[in-house]
């Protein structure tokens, strides 16, 4: 059973606008959340993370929001750029050793 | 600046054959892991290791073996390949078990 879910397989956004990617999880014990970006034929690369003790973390154009009561996190990209077009995976981990990944959302930023 | 290196990048096997996917990292990371990526399934953890001599199972360990004799290397062995093991495999490492993962470029395996 999928513990981390990304219900939108794809998203298209105009350049300069905001991209919002969503992720839901089922295990309330997860304490660390991450977003990864993946280009075709490459491995995923780390984008941004958030600890369960926070509800927001920013890094430049990227902001991750965590809503623990709803078991939901989101990644905001503002402004979106064509180079942001990629597949985005969210991941969650328990303190320890296992990371659980979502199925990914393919973002297309239209110039 | 090698990071995480996986070999081979592509492999075709026949059912029942064995092979080893190699993974090496040069960042002195204690934590290493193997994932498989399948359409609609995301990345699923196969096995992981928190240090030399220590390995454990992830979500989908059946059909795979691992060992960790050095900090740098974490090979994944398929003892008797099955078509269900057709996938893209990623090796990843981290400075700790709860830190960000650094991924290799992936190994695409096809089992006929």
């Amino acid at each position: 059973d999928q513990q981390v879910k990304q219900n939108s397989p794809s998203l298209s956004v105009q350049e300069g606008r905001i991209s919002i990617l969503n992720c839901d999880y089922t295990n309330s014990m997860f304490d660390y959340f991450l977003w990864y970006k993946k280009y075709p034929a490459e491995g995923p690369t780390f984008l941004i993370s958030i600890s369960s003790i926070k509800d927001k973390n920013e890094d430049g154009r990227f902001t991750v929001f965590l809503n623990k009561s709803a078991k939901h996190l989101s990644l905001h990209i503002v402004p979106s750029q064509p180079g942001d077009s990629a597949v985005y995976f969210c991941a969650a981990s328990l303190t320890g050793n296992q990371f659980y990944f979502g199925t990914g959302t393919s973002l297309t930023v239209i110039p | 600046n090698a990071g995480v290196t996986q070999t081979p990048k592509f492999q075709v096997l026949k059912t029942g054959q064995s092979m080893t996917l190699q993974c090496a990292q040069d960042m002195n990371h204690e934590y290493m892991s193997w994932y498989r990526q399948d359409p609609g399934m995301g990345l699923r953890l196969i096995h992981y290791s928190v240090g030399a001599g220590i390995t454990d199972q992830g979500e989908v360990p059946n059909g795979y073996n691992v060992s960790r004799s050095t900090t740098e290397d974490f090979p994944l062995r398929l003892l008797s390949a099955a078509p269900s093991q057709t996938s893209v495999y990623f090796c990843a490492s981290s400075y700790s078990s709860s830190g960000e993962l650094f991924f290799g470029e992936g190994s695409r395996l096809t089992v006929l």
Side-chain angles (χ1 to χ4, degrees):
Chain A
D1 195 24
Q2 198 83 14
Q3 297 197 51
V4 178
K5 298 178 183 180
Q6 294 175 257
N7 292 320
S8 298
S10 63
L11 174 68
S12 290
V13 171
Q14 288 289 133
E15 181 178 2
R17 306 294 291 267
I18 185 172
S19 295
I20 300 177
L21 296 95
N22 294 303
C23 180
D24 297 295
Y25 60 95
T26 57
N27 190 337
S28 59
M29 298 300 291
F30 285 141
D31 57 2
Y32 191 57
F33 303 88
L34 310 93
W35 284 94
Y36 286 84
K37 177 179 180 180
K38 185 182 181 304
Y39 292 116
E42 295 183 8
T45 55
F46 171 75
L47 198 54
I48 192 169
S49 64
I50 187 167
S51 164
S52 61
I53 63 173
K54 294 186 175 181
D55 54 19
K56 178 181 174 182
N57 189 28
E58 285 183 80
D59 185 1
R61 297 186 296 114
F62 303 92
T63 303
V64 57
F65 295 92
L66 176 62
N67 182 335
K68 290 187 288 293
S69 60
K71 297 193 186 72
H72 178 83
L73 69 156
S74 61
L75 174 69
H76 292 209
I77 307 173
V78 182
S80 300
Q81 299 174 352
D84 296 329
S85 297
V87 177
Y88 290 78
F89 290 97
C90 66
S93 78
L94 300 164
T95 298
N97 309 309
Q98 299 206 27
F99 290 83
Y100 296 86
F101 282 79
T103 51
T105 296
S106 178
L107 172 67
T108 301
V109 179
I110 304 164
Chain B
N1 235 18
V4 179
T5 303
Q6 289 182 234
T7 56
K9 286 188 167 42
F10 300 94
Q11 183 73 49
V12 179
L13 289 178
K14 294 181 180 178
T15 297
Q17 287 185 316
S18 63
M19 78 155 300
T20 299
L21 297 175
Q22 302 290 347
C23 176
Q25 52 91 9
D26 61 359
M27 297 173 281
N28 202 31
H29 285 169
E30 290 295 325
Y31 180 84
M32 295 186 75
S33 54
W34 277 101
Y35 288 84
R36 59 179 289 174
Q37 183 189 11
D38 302 293
M41 301 294 290
L43 290 154
R44 292 183 292 168
L45 181 65
I46 305 171
H47 285 284
Y48 64 95
S49 168
V50 298
I54 306 169
T55 63
D56 207 344
Q57 297 180 350
E59 295 175 83
V60 288
N62 292 341
Y64 307 95
N65 280 352
V66 291
S67 60
R68 184 94 179 271
S69 56
T70 66
T71 299
E72 295 77 21
D73 300 297
F74 190 45
L76 178 71
R77 297 184 186 84
L78 286 72
L79 298 179
S80 179
S84 61
Q85 293 178 304
T86 294
S87 187
V88 180
Y89 292 84
F90 290 97
C91 179
S93 72
S94 175
Y95 65 90
S96 75
S97 58
S98 56
E100 66 179 85
L101 292 168
F102 292 81
F103 283 86
E105 293 186 340
S107 299
R108 182 175 292 276
L109 175 66
T110 301
V111 182
L112 302 175

